[in-house]
């Protein structure tokens, strides 16, 4: 029995999904789920645009893990997976204007409005510790 490319990709990215869901981050897999959750999330919501790239594995997801160890964290934690859940990712990115699409990226929203955004170019050349520190400062500013 041969494996389809889609199944192969699904199997390959599952650990990348699980890394976030094990932190309590809720996957939004469809545009409808994004539309249902993001604009109505009361308080603060962290939205991670996950990706298969090396900077997602080396800096983004570890930075998020460290940031969530802070005493102040967002009320809601969501993720979409770029290149996998394409419609959900496209819908989530509508909330991140004026920033162009990038993955990975990290958005902090408050009552449905974008208040802080970390683009790929601010992820790929920084350490997980630097990303965590920026997120924790944003949490202190917007999540109290």
């Amino acid at each position: 029995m041969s494996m389809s490319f889609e199944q192969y990709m699904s199997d390959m990215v599952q650990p990348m999904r699980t890394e976030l869901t094990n932190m309590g981050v809720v996957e939004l897999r469809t545009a409808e789920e994004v539309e249902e959750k993001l604009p109505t999330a009361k308080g603060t919501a962290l939205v991670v645009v996950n990706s298969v790239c090396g900077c997602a594995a080396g800096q983004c997801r570890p930075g998020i893990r460290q940031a969530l160890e802070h005493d102040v964290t967002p009320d809601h934690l969501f993720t979409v997976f770029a290149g996998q859940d394409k419609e959900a990712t496209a819908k989530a990115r509508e909330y991140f204007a004026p920033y162009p699409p990038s993955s990975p990226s990290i958005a902090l929203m408050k009552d449905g409005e974008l208040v802080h955004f970390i683009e790929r170019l601010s992820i790929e050349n920084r350490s997980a510790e630097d990303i965590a520190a920026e997120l924790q400062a944003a949490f202190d500013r917007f999540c109290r």
Side-chain angles (χ1 to χ4, degrees), residues 13 45 106 121:
V13 303
I106 309 164
L121 59 88

Side-chain angles (χ1 to χ4, degrees), residues 78-89:
F78 300 119
T79 183
V80 294
F81 207 115
Q84 299 297 307
D85 301 325
K86 293 180 176 124
E87 294 82 13
T89 303

Side-chain angles (χ1 to χ4, degrees), residues 14-69:
Q14 190 55 50
M16 300 170 200
R17 292 179 183 278
T18 303
E19 189 174 352
L20 287 175
T21 58
N22 283 348
M23 294 179 222
V25 182
V26 175
E27 280 192 298
L28 303 177
R29 305 283 304 262
T30 67
E32 293 77 20
E33 288 175 344
V34 170
E35 194 60 39
E36 177 185 320
K37 300 286 186 185
L38 290 195
T40 61
K42 293 291 179 220
T44 52
L46 188 73
V47 185
V48 180
V49 179
N50 202 355
S51 149
V52 298
C53 73
C55 64
Q59 293 104 286
C60 185
R61 292 189 300 267
I64 291 163
R65 184 180 321 100
Q66 291 175 35
L68 293 177
E69 294 171 0

Side-chain angles (χ1 to χ4, degrees), residues 127-138:
S127 69
E129 293 78 16
D130 287 345
I131 294 163
E134 179 177 341
L135 286 171
Q136 289 174 345

